[in-house]
Amino acid sequence: MAEGNGREMSTLYHVLGAKQFDRQELDELFGSAKEMEQAAERGGIQRYPNKIMSTLFFEPSTRTRFSFESAMHRLSGRVIGTENASQFSSAIKGETLEDTIRIISGYSDLIVMRHTEIGAAKRAAAVSDVPVINAGDGSGEHPTQALLDLYTIQKEFGGIDGVHIAMIGDLTYGRTVHSLSYLLANYRDVRISFVSPENVRIPTYVKQYLDGKGVAYEEATELENLAASADVFYQTRIQKERFPSLEEYSKAEGKFIIDRKLVDTMKRNALILHPLPRAGEIHPEVDNDPRAAYFRQAQNGLYIRMALIEKCLG
């Protein structure tokens, strides 16, 4: 997706949202990720020794920031950045996001940014002279997480067409669910079951997108009814920090928990995923079950992000 500003506009490749990917591009990206997995097992590859990636995170992160930084190091590049840009950048002095990006794009060859506001990545890309990767923008999207989720499903099942996935938990503020829904629309005969408390249902704009793509979906409030039929259980955290009030949070918290009893009713080859961190919604007793793939899923983030860096810088 060539979007940008200035002299490099025609050559810049930004990763801003899941809708920008079509099936061919996903196939190519997953092929590249497989190659990157092999390269990482060898300790990395000498690909970008003179390139610098900036990580600009206005929200806390462990997996996303570390996997991006590890990915750049595995590609022989260098990293500069801050894990708390809201406090340790000039934003606290009142500098606009646009001005921050204009400056940082002069210091680096790639910017990976997480922000509290929906649309922040697009604002950054509009003024940046280098590629921008959206590492999460508020409750909007998290395209790189969704890409690694999809890559995990393909690796575990050998394909994605025909999959029945149950997306569970905070579907209103859960940006990973939004992005993954958009990506799944590229595949045939996919069925999505949105399982959530009443006050955090999947947004209308996501359903409208799926309608336009002819994707079959349903909304449900009971997880047990799907346990024996779904192929993938995509559990998400109820995000306390995004709720407008403690009262609204209490209505949703603890409603859906994957425990041993539920897992015992799932298909033998079912897949349990979680973008992490978890906060009690998957019981630790499930961790040793071969269907629990969330730690393998997190590891796949390294390979997908290596492939994305290659696409942006290559």
Side-chain angles (χ1 to χ4, degrees), residues 78-263:
R78 290 171 285 177
V79 178
I80 58 175
T82 174
E83 62 180 320
N84 190 356
S86 60
Q87 295 296 317
F88 299 110
S89 77
S90 292
I92 201 169
K93 302 175 184 177
E95 184 175 63
T96 65
L97 175 64
E98 284 77 5
D99 282 0
T100 297
I101 295 300
R102 287 185 178 102
I103 297 301
I104 292 177
S105 68
Y107 298 158
S108 54
D109 302 286
L110 172 66
I111 297 173
V112 177
M113 187 182 77
R114 170 170 290 188
H115 204 279
T116 58
E117 298 177 11
I118 296 175
K122 290 183 179 179
R123 287 171 53 199
V127 299
S128 179
D129 289 325
V130 300
V132 172
I133 297 180
N134 179 6
D137 58 343
S139 58
E141 280 209 60
H142 195 345
T144 70
Q145 175 68 49
L147 288 166
L148 75 90
D149 297 337
L150 202 62
Y151 181 59
T152 300
I153 295 171
Q154 177 171 285
K155 280 183 64 178
E156 298 281 337
F157 285 150
I160 299 165
D161 290 326
V163 73
H164 176 196
I165 181 169
M167 298 191 186
I168 311 154
D170 178 0
L171 307 186
T172 296
Y173 305 110
R175 57 194 174 196
T176 65
V177 170
H178 306 165
S179 292
L180 184 54
S181 296
Y182 298 148
L183 289 180
L184 284 167
N186 288 288
Y187 295 86
R188 296 188 300 273
D189 302 322
V190 167
R191 178 185 170 197
I192 305 175
S193 296
F194 294 114
V195 187
S196 69
E198 290 290 343
N199 63 331
V200 282
R201 299 175 72 177
I202 193 73
T204 299
Y205 58 81
V206 176
K207 293 187 289 184
Q208 289 174 338
Y209 184 83
L210 296 177
D211 287 335
K213 295 293 185 176
V215 178
Y217 66 86
E218 63 178 343
E219 294 183 80
T221 56
E222 298 293 334
L223 179 58
E224 290 77 9
N225 297 340
L226 295 167
S229 60
D231 302 304
V232 180
F233 296 83
Y234 190 85
Q235 178 71 287
T236 66
R237 177 174 63 93
I238 302 297
Q239 302 175 89
K240 185 177 182 179
E241 67 274 15
R242 300 202 188 280
F243 280 76
S245 69
L246 190 59
E247 179 183 1
E248 285 299 308
Y249 167 73
S250 65
K251 293 179 183 178
E253 193 269 334
K255 300 297 183 185
F256 301 104
I257 297 175
I258 295 179
D259 56 15
R260 184 77 258 169
K261 181 180 178 181
L262 185 69
V263 171

Side-chain angles (χ1 to χ4, degrees), residues 258-277:
I258 295 179
D259 56 15
R260 184 77 258 169
K261 181 180 178 181
L262 185 69
V263 171
D264 286 342
T265 66
M266 294 178 182
K267 294 179 179 180
R268 292 183 63 183
N269 66 337
L271 202 60
I272 304 169
L273 301 180
H274 194 305
L276 302 176

